[in-house]
PDB file of all heavy atoms in Angstrom:
ATOM      1  N   SER A 369     -13.941 118.584  -9.817  1.00  0.00           N
ATOM      2  CA  SER A 369     -13.889 117.559 -10.840  1.00  0.00           C
ATOM      3  C   SER A 369     -14.794 116.429 -10.442  1.00  0.00           C
ATOM      4  O   SER A 369     -15.092 116.168  -9.278  1.00  0.00           O
ATOM      5  CB  SER A 369     -12.457 116.969 -10.956  1.00  0.00           C
ATOM      6  OG  SER A 369     -11.997 116.512  -9.731  1.00  0.00           O
ATOM      7  N   PRO A 370     -15.416 115.708 -11.467  1.00  0.00           N
ATOM      8  CA  PRO A 370     -16.449 114.706 -11.124  1.00  0.00           C
ATOM      9  C   PRO A 370     -15.962 113.485 -10.383  1.00  0.00           C
ATOM     10  O   PRO A 370     -16.678 112.998  -9.559  1.00  0.00           O
ATOM     11  CB  PRO A 370     -17.009 114.244 -12.495  1.00  0.00           C
ATOM     12  CG  PRO A 370     -16.314 115.178 -13.518  1.00  0.00           C
ATOM     13  CD  PRO A 370     -15.195 115.941 -12.834  1.00  0.00           C
ATOM     14  N   GLY A 371     -14.691 113.055 -10.525  1.00  0.00           N
ATOM     15  CA  GLY A 371     -14.155 111.971  -9.749  1.00  0.00           C
ATOM     16  C   GLY A 371     -13.171 112.317  -8.783  1.00  0.00           C
ATOM     17  O   GLY A 371     -13.110 113.476  -8.331  1.00  0.00           O
ATOM     18  N   ALA A 372     -12.305 111.376  -8.326  1.00  0.00           N
ATOM     19  CA  ALA A 372     -11.358 111.662  -7.340  1.00  0.00           C
ATOM     20  C   ALA A 372     -10.070 112.252  -7.936  1.00  0.00           C
ATOM     21  O   ALA A 372      -9.251 112.857  -7.303  1.00  0.00           O
ATOM     22  CB  ALA A 372     -10.959 110.400  -6.630  1.00  0.00           C
ATOM     23  N   GLY A 373      -9.922 112.100  -9.234  1.00  0.00           N
ATOM     24  CA  GLY A 373      -8.701 112.622 -10.013  1.00  0.00           C
ATOM     25  C   GLY A 373      -8.833 114.128 -10.285  1.00  0.00           C
ATOM     26  O   GLY A 373      -9.830 114.715 -10.231  1.00  0.00           O
ATOM     27  N   CYS A 374      -7.642 114.701 -10.618  1.00  0.00           N
ATOM     28  CA  CYS A 374      -7.610 116.120 -11.123  1.00  0.00           C
ATOM     29  C   CYS A 374      -7.762 115.987 -12.636  1.00  0.00           C
ATOM     30  O   CYS A 374      -7.532 115.101 -13.282  1.00  0.00           O
ATOM     31  CB  CYS A 374      -6.277 116.699 -10.777  1.00  0.00           C
ATOM     32  SG  CYS A 374      -5.906 116.719  -9.025  1.00  0.00           S
ATOM     33  N   LEU A 375      -8.252 117.204 -13.193  1.00  0.00           N
ATOM     34  CA  LEU A 375      -8.439 117.275 -14.585  1.00  0.00           C
ATOM     35  C   LEU A 375      -7.639 118.400 -15.165  1.00  0.00           C
ATOM     36  O   LEU A 375      -7.533 119.459 -14.559  1.00  0.00           O
ATOM     37  CB  LEU A 375      -9.928 117.616 -14.933  1.00  0.00           C
ATOM     38  CG  LEU A 375     -11.054 116.610 -14.597  1.00  0.00           C
ATOM     39  CD1 LEU A 375     -12.334 117.228 -15.043  1.00  0.00           C
ATOM     40  CD2 LEU A 375     -10.816 115.317 -15.274  1.00  0.00           C
ATOM     41  N   LEU A 376      -7.158 118.121 -16.446  1.00  0.00           N
ATOM     42  CA  LEU A 376      -6.621 119.230 -17.329  1.00  0.00           C
ATOM     43  C   LEU A 376      -7.686 119.427 -18.336  1.00  0.00           C
ATOM     44  O   LEU A 376      -7.907 118.558 -19.153  1.00  0.00           O
ATOM     45  CB  LEU A 376      -5.310 118.935 -17.891  1.00  0.00           C
ATOM     46  CG  LEU A 376      -4.131 118.706 -16.915  1.00  0.00           C
ATOM     47  CD1 LEU A 376      -2.904 118.131 -17.673  1.00  0.00           C
ATOM     48  CD2 LEU A 376      -3.797 120.024 -16.243  1.00  0.00           C
ATOM     49  N   ARG A 377      -8.466 120.561 -18.185  1.00  0.00           N
ATOM     50  CA  ARG A 377      -9.576 120.668 -19.059  1.00  0.00           C
ATOM     51  C   ARG A 377      -9.296 121.646 -20.172  1.00  0.00           C
ATOM     52  O   ARG A 377      -8.945 122.810 -19.946  1.00  0.00           O
ATOM     53  CB  ARG A 377     -10.777 121.274 -18.310  1.00  0.00           C
ATOM     54  CG  ARG A 377     -12.012 121.612 -19.107  1.00  0.00           C
ATOM     55  CD  ARG A 377     -13.029 122.328 -18.324  1.00  0.00           C
ATOM     56  NE  ARG A 377     -14.266 122.721 -18.998  1.00  0.00           N
ATOM     57  CZ  ARG A 377     -14.357 123.813 -19.742  1.00  0.00           C
ATOM     58  NH1 ARG A 377     -13.436 124.655 -19.808  1.00  0.00           N
ATOM     59  NH2 ARG A 377     -15.540 124.052 -20.406  1.00  0.00           N
ATOM     60  N   CYS A 378      -9.331 121.137 -21.464  1.00  0.00           N
ATOM     61  CA  CYS A 378      -9.150 122.012 -22.581  1.00  0.00           C
ATOM     62  C   CYS A 378     -10.490 122.348 -23.149  1.00  0.00           C
ATOM     63  O   CYS A 378     -11.371 121.544 -23.222  1.00  0.00           O
ATOM     64  CB  CYS A 378      -8.372 121.328 -23.692  1.00  0.00           C
ATOM     65  SG  CYS A 378      -6.840 120.475 -23.213  1.00  0.00           S
ATOM     66  N   SER A 379     -10.598 123.585 -23.592  1.00  0.00           N
ATOM     67  CA  SER A 379     -11.845 123.851 -24.412  1.00  0.00           C
ATOM     68  C   SER A 379     -11.504 124.670 -25.583  1.00  0.00           C
ATOM     69  O   SER A 379     -10.527 125.530 -25.493  1.00  0.00           O
ATOM     70  CB  SER A 379     -12.970 124.530 -23.595  1.00  0.00           C
ATOM     71  OG  SER A 379     -12.412 125.629 -22.926  1.00  0.00           O
ATOM     72  N   LEU A 380     -12.069 124.402 -26.706  1.00  0.00           N
ATOM     73  CA  LEU A 380     -11.640 124.937 -28.010  1.00  0.00           C
ATOM     74  C   LEU A 380     -12.540 126.022 -28.528  1.00  0.00           C
ATOM     75  O   LEU A 380     -13.747 126.150 -28.149  1.00  0.00           O
ATOM     76  CB  LEU A 380     -11.527 123.754 -28.952  1.00  0.00           C
ATOM     77  CG  LEU A 380     -10.435 122.719 -28.509  1.00  0.00           C
ATOM     78  CD1 LEU A 380     -10.419 121.580 -29.523  1.00  0.00           C
ATOM     79  CD2 LEU A 380      -9.144 123.384 -28.446  1.00  0.00           C
ATOM     80  N   SER A 381     -12.067 126.608 -29.568  1.00  0.00           N
ATOM     81  CA  SER A 381     -12.769 127.687 -30.251  1.00  0.00           C
ATOM     82  C   SER A 381     -12.734 127.494 -31.720  1.00  0.00           C
ATOM     83  O   SER A 381     -11.713 126.921 -32.217  1.00  0.00           O
ATOM     84  CB  SER A 381     -12.101 129.039 -29.945  1.00  0.00           C
ATOM     85  OG  SER A 381     -12.682 130.100 -30.677  1.00  0.00           O
ATOM     86  N   SER A 382     -13.708 127.937 -32.444  1.00  0.00           N
ATOM     87  CA  SER A 382     -13.584 127.882 -33.941  1.00  0.00           C
ATOM     88  C   SER A 382     -12.481 128.740 -34.371  1.00  0.00           C
ATOM     89  O   SER A 382     -12.001 128.623 -35.558  1.00  0.00           O
ATOM     90  CB  SER A 382     -14.929 128.336 -34.541  1.00  0.00           C
ATOM     91  OG  SER A 382     -15.161 129.609 -34.155  1.00  0.00           O
TER      92      SER A 382
END
Side-chain angles (χ1 to χ4, degrees):
S369 57
C374 300
L375 295 182
L376 294 172
R377 174 188 182 272
C378 309
S379 53
L380 296 178
S381 173
S382 60

